[in-house]
Amino acid sequence: MGLLGFSLMLLSMLQIVASQQVTDPNEVEALNKIISHWNLGTKLNISGVDPCTQNATWAPDSANPQIACHCAGTTCHVTRLKVYALDISGEIPNELFNLKELQNLNLAQNVLSGPIPPEIGQLTNMQYLTVGINNLSGPVPPELGNLTKLLSLGISSNNFQGPLPAELGNLTSLQQLYIDSSGVSGPIPQQLSSLKSLMKLWASDNLFTGKIPEFLGTFTDFIDLRLEGTMLEGPIPTSLGALTKLDDLRIGDLSMEDSSLDFVENMTSLSILSLRNCRLAGLIPEKLSTFSNLKTLDVSFNSLSGNLPLNSAKVGLSMNVVGTSVNANSLLDGKASGMLQCLVGGTKCSNKVPATSFSIKCGGTVQTSASGIKFDDDTETLGAASIYSSSDHQWAVSNTGSYISNPNGPQYTTQTDSQIMETLESELYKSARISPSSLRYYGLGLMNGKYNVELHFAEIQMDDNSSHSWKGLGRRLFDVYIQGERVLQDFNIKNEAGGSKRALVRTFEANVTNTVMDIHFFWAGRGTCCIPYQSTYGPLVSAIHVSQASNGISSSKRDKKRVGRIVGVAVGCAAGLVIISSVFYLWWTKEKPTHMRVHTDAPRKV
Ligand SMILES: *[C@@H]1O[C@H](CO)[C@@H](O)[C@H](O)[C@H]1NC(C)=O
Ligand SMILES: *[C@@H]1O[C@H](CO)[C@@H](O)[C@H](O)[C@H]1NC(C)=O
Ligand SMILES: *[C@@H]1O[C@H](CO)[C@@H](O)[C@H](O)[C@H]1NC(C)=O
Ligand SMILES: *[C@@H]1O[C@H](CO)[C@@H](O)[C@H](O)[C@H]1NC(C)=O
Ligand SMILES: *[C@@H]1O[C@H](CO)[C@@H](O)[C@H](O)[C@H]1NC(C)=O
Ligand SMILES: *[C@@H]1O[C@H](CO)[C@@H](O)[C@H](O)[C@H]1NC(C)=O
Ligand SMILES: *[C@@H]1O[C@H](CO)[C@@H](O)[C@H](O)[C@H]1NC(C)=O
Ligand SMILES: *[C@@H]1O[C@H](CO)[C@@H](O)[C@H](O)[C@H]1NC(C)=O
């Protein structure tokens, strides 16, 4: 071959190479380091292949892990990296920030720990970023405010500390912000008022302080707002009345000032309206009855009253009728009405000799413990607002609330096949009652006096947090009231027992003065919502054993003034299913019109 021929050949080789698109070598190196850092080699093997090769197995959206690229001219850049729900652990490696052209980063549902490094601020092309459900800690980096192209940011269900950085206010294109259960605390920065594009904000279960910001009412594209279980103070700003595109509004657990419900009057697109435990007072706006999309209305644990015109609405209504001006007896069948009467203390709950103990196998079948205690069957199917009394009328159970995001999900009991540790009575803990809102047990016809209340718990829905899986990162938090006094707040069975599927017994003293013992398990909006699956939250209890204390006070006088026992009752009536309870709870389905007077009641001492 002559020199000319050789030169031509060399030229054509160069042309071939030049016409091929190759990934930026810095990014290839970074990818290799990331893959090795997270031990992804077997799931994502790019060795010897250009990561941006067309039609690579890891390129399509359905791939996980996924690497997707954008190529221009001869150079390709990684624009998308997804490592989703693969239980990768360790920290976020700095090599990640060499993928300068990333637009979409999904590291959700893993067990990443450590901080989000401030270098995240270099990835200024980012549009979709989520690290939701991990074990990340440290501050939420202010550098996130540099990612001004962000459309969606998710840091939910982590262990961040400190306040939200004011710099997030620079994310003026942001449409979706998921920060629920992220660990952040303190005031919500005023700078967030610049997030004018926001359509979805999930911010529940954070230790926010101060008032609910007025500026939320200027985000007129809002369709989904969740703000439950924070330390925010009422009132609900009337500015929120401008959010007429809202489809789903959930606010809960407000302190301080009362709010009126009138602000919802123009929110005609609502399909879910949940305002539990918000110190709502005043009348229920009549306009609610014209909201044709409304499927779920929960205004439980407030002090609303008024006439509810249920035009063309369905009745599935629960309300407190006890200790109020409401006369609901006409709605009740004889049995339920009798039960209500006895719970208010108006009549005796049973004609038997007063009992001095009762024991319940919550959510399970009858069982006798090694120590000879017979725990009664409590497997009756409960609805979204119902009361059930044991066949011997020794106790009753009342449940209210529905799993809004998972209506066909858990039906108020849960079971496991696993052995339960730290107990000789494993069977006692293999089933439990659960509730998305309020679960209340009443001991009936008790001799007045001093009692020991033994509550048995074991976390059987959430995995252990030593499982090295995101499924172990869930936090269940709830409160317990006995005879109206809060005895446990933000109670976390898993932490207290030292892991899941471990038994835990808590014992309290309480006095019975009016033949009734009231044990109330209450969700105050706290804890993770969805680990390991949708609607894993709210109270859980395995068994209850109540017995008179030996040095019981012998009080025979009845406390006639006690009012406000609160129950859930489901009864049939001409209009359909009417549910009477501590809550006013309503499902709009198409049924016959009816009118009824309702009053809801706040059960919590403030
Ligand atoms: C990756 O693929 C190469 C060949 O393409 C192979 O030699 C290597 O063993 C693979 N690595 C892993 C971790 O599977
Ligand atoms: C990738 O797939 C497309 C469609 O299946 C095909 O037209 C194209 O030739 C493929 N490219 C390579 C490099 O295999
Ligand atoms: C990001 O923002 C911070 C201030 O929020 C700034 O100091 C920094 O220089 C910015 N740039 C990068 C690349 O992080
Ligand atoms: C980002 O936000 C911070 C704090 O609100 C502000 O001081 C800064 O000027 C903003 N940066 C840009 C580029 O807008
Ligand atoms: C609802 O809309 C009407 C008519 O625009 C307005 O007068 C009223 O103030 C609005 N109500 C609320 C609570 O924003
Ligand atoms: C979460 O991170 C902390 C350190 O911040 C660590 O102590 C803990 O073991 C981690 N938990 C899991 C489940 O990885
Ligand atoms: C894991 O459980 C321990 C107690 O068993 C608790 O202190 C810790 O906070 C838990 N960690 C996480 C990440 O939930
Ligand atoms: C029960 O009553 C006794 C006697 O009146 C009182 O000393 C005690 O504090 C009461 N216990 C509770 C838990 O209220």
Side-chain angles (χ1 to χ4, degrees):
M1 191 174 356
L3 185 59
L4 181 64
F6 179 76
S7 302
L8 280 173
M9 198 185 87
L10 193 62
L11 189 64
S12 62
M13 276 175 66
L14 281 172
Q15 277 170 341
I16 288 167
V17 169
S19 72
Q20 269 186 349
Q21 298 178 316
V22 292
T23 307
D24 179 330
N26 288 332
E27 297 184 24
V28 178
E29 191 187 342
L31 279 174
N32 279 307
K33 291 209 170 120
I34 293 165
I35 288 166
S36 117
H37 184 90
W38 284 335
N39 257 317
L40 284 170
T42 53
K43 296 191 179 86
L44 181 61
N45 186 349
I46 61 168
S47 73
V49 191
D50 188 281
C52 293
T53 307
Q54 264 197 338
N55 303 350
T57 54
W58 52 79
D61 272 359
S62 57
N64 184 27
Q66 181 198 15
I67 301 171
C69 304
H70 177 73
C71 303
T74 57
T75 310
C76 296
H77 296 286
V78 176
T79 53
R80 177 168 188 168
L81 179 65
K82 176 173 68 175
V83 186
Y84 170 77
L86 295 176
D87 287 332
I88 50 169
S89 58
E91 304 207 342
I92 295 177
N94 273 311
E95 286 79 11
L96 186 66
F97 309 113
N98 292 338
L99 304 177
K100 303 260 186 246
E101 307 284 325
L102 270 183
Q103 296 171 7
N104 189 329
L105 176 63
N106 180 351
L107 301 177
Q109 291 180 218
N110 289 296
V111 276
L112 296 171
S113 54
I116 298 183
E119 288 82 358
I120 192 81
Q122 299 167 8
L123 304 181
T124 50
N125 285 315
M126 197 73 81
Q127 296 179 348
Y128 301 89
L129 172 59
T130 178
V131 294
I133 311 189
N134 274 287
N135 185 27
L136 295 166
S137 53
V140 176
E143 288 78 5
L144 281 172
N146 293 12
L147 311 187
T148 52
K149 293 183 185 163
L150 269 182
L151 301 173
S152 177
L153 173 62
I155 62 166
S156 303
S157 297
N158 275 287
N159 292 306
F160 294 109
Q161 287 108 34
L164 284 174
E167 285 77 2
L168 292 185
N170 294 341
L171 304 178
T172 50
S173 301
L174 201 64
Q175 296 173 355
Q176 304 182 13
L177 179 57
Y178 304 100
I179 54 176
D180 48 297
S181 304
S182 63
V184 296
S185 56
I188 298 179
Q190 184 63 28
Q191 287 84 348
L192 298 199
S193 60
S194 320
L195 304 183
K196 299 286 186 226
S197 310
L198 217 51
M199 300 164 77
K200 272 188 166 195
L201 173 62
W202 292 7
S204 298
D205 184 34
N206 290 306
L207 296 178
F208 290 131
T209 54
K211 299 220 165 218
I212 299 187
E214 289 269 341
F215 66 70
L216 291 178
T218 65
F219 299 168
T220 47
D221 285 331
F222 250 147
I223 52 172
D224 188 346
L225 172 58
R226 304 191 189 174
L227 207 50
E228 300 179 295
T230 70
M231 291 168 67
L232 288 172
E233 294 166 9
I236 298 172
T238 51
S239 64
L240 264 55
L243 305 179
T244 53
K245 293 185 190 164
L246 275 176
D247 167 72
D248 190 339
L249 176 62
R250 307 183 199 181
I251 299 177
D253 314 293
L254 301 179
S255 58
M256 303 298 283
E257 287 177 47
D258 289 354
S259 304
S260 147
L261 187 51
D262 290 345
F263 74 98
V264 302
E265 71 167 337
N266 296 333
M267 296 185 183
T268 50
S269 305
L270 282 173
S271 67
I272 293 172
L273 176 60
S274 177
L275 300 169
R276 287 177 75 245
N277 198 27
C278 279
R279 300 187 58 105
L280 293 175
L283 296 175
I284 295 165
E286 300 207 352
K287 268 203 166 172
L288 268 183
S289 63
T290 64
F291 289 16
S292 52
N293 296 330
L294 198 57
K295 290 197 210 67
T296 301
L297 171 62
D298 185 348
V299 287
S300 55
F301 304 109
N302 290 297
S303 309
L304 292 164
S305 58
N307 284 306
L308 186 72
L310 296 168
N311 316 342
S312 74
K314 82 320 233 62
V315 194
L317 158 65
S318 71
M319 58 187 178
N320 179 19
V321 291
V322 179
T324 72
S325 56
V326 179
N327 179 0
N329 281 351
S330 58
L331 302 172
L332 299 170
D333 62 21
K335 193 175 158 214
S337 151
M339 171 124 30
L340 286 174
Q341 280 305 312
C342 105
L343 285 174
V344 228
T347 59
K348 280 178 133 186
C349 292
S350 89
N351 292 323
K352 296 195 201 143
V353 254
T356 55
S357 72
F358 64 95
S359 310
I360 307 165
K361 175 53 215 103
C362 309
T365 52
V366 60
Q367 246 172 72
T368 302
S369 72
S371 47
I373 298 167
K374 179 171 163 278
F375 290 85
D376 294 348
D377 178 288
D378 173 30
T379 51
E380 183 75 13
T381 302
L382 297 181
S386 45
I387 187 165
Y388 164 78
S389 136
S390 65
S391 52
D392 58 4
H393 299 292
Q394 283 215 335
W395 55 269
V397 55
S398 156
N399 173 70
T400 56
S402 67
Y403 292 98
I404 293 177
S405 300
N406 196 11
N408 303 316
Q411 294 303 305
Y412 313 113
T413 62
T414 186
Q415 292 81 32
T416 182
D417 291 331
S418 303
Q419 280 302 115
I420 307 299
M421 291 177 297
E422 301 294 316
T423 176
L424 299 173
E425 317 268 6
S426 192
E427 292 303 318
L428 202 56
Y429 301 91
K430 287 185 172 180
S431 56
R433 275 266 180 230
I434 49 174
S435 172
S437 174
S438 165
L439 177 65
R440 222 159 170 154
Y441 283 91
Y442 302 94
L444 306 176
L446 291 170
M447 183 179 288
N448 289 339
K450 188 158 134 195
Y451 283 77
N452 288 325
V453 178
E454 224 175 74
L455 306 179
H456 296 252
F457 303 101
E459 179 55 70
I460 56 173
Q461 278 193 305
M462 292 182 177
D463 288 350
D464 218 271
N465 71 0
S466 60
S467 64
H468 306 294
S469 166
W470 66 270
K471 292 180 180 171
L473 296 173
R475 294 185 284 261
R476 179 196 302 282
L477 301 176
F478 61 94
D479 298 346
V480 180
Y481 294 76
I482 298 178
Q483 301 293 54
E485 297 293 330
R486 186 167 59 202
V487 296
L488 292 171
Q489 184 173 24
D490 284 346
F491 183 59
N492 181 331
I493 301 169
K494 196 165 65 159
N495 278 9
E496 299 293 320
S500 67
K501 304 185 182 80
R502 298 166 82 92
L504 179 69
V505 183
R506 281 302 179 87
T507 305
F508 303 92
E509 252 182 26
N511 293 327
V512 170
T513 58
N514 199 14
T515 75
V516 176
M517 173 72 80
D518 172 3
I519 306 169
H520 188 192
F521 303 88
F522 182 76
W523 182 59
R526 312 261 299 122
T528 53
C529 65
C530 308
I531 307 173
Y533 41 82
Q534 269 292 339
S535 299
T536 310
Y537 65 86
L540 178 155
V541 59
S542 314
I544 293 172
H545 173 60
V546 173
S547 57
Q548 198 166 35
S550 39
N551 55 343
I553 48 168
S554 60
S555 143
S556 56
K557 63 177 163 59
R558 288 170 61 116
D559 178 359
K560 289 254 166 53
K561 284 208 212 80
R562 180 185 290 274
V563 291
R565 294 221 175 268
I566 294 159
V567 298
V569 177
V571 292
C573 80
L577 180 69
V578 177
I579 299 172
I580 314 295
S581 85
S582 65
V583 295
F584 163 46
Y585 209 102
L586 181 64
W587 292 263
W588 300 81
T589 57
K590 305 295 170 198
E591 276 188 46
K592 286 183 225 156
T594 182
H595 275 256
M596 64 189 55
R597 205 171 141 66
V598 298
H599 183 107
T600 67
D601 191 69
R604 304 179 65 190
K605 296 204 170 162
V606 280

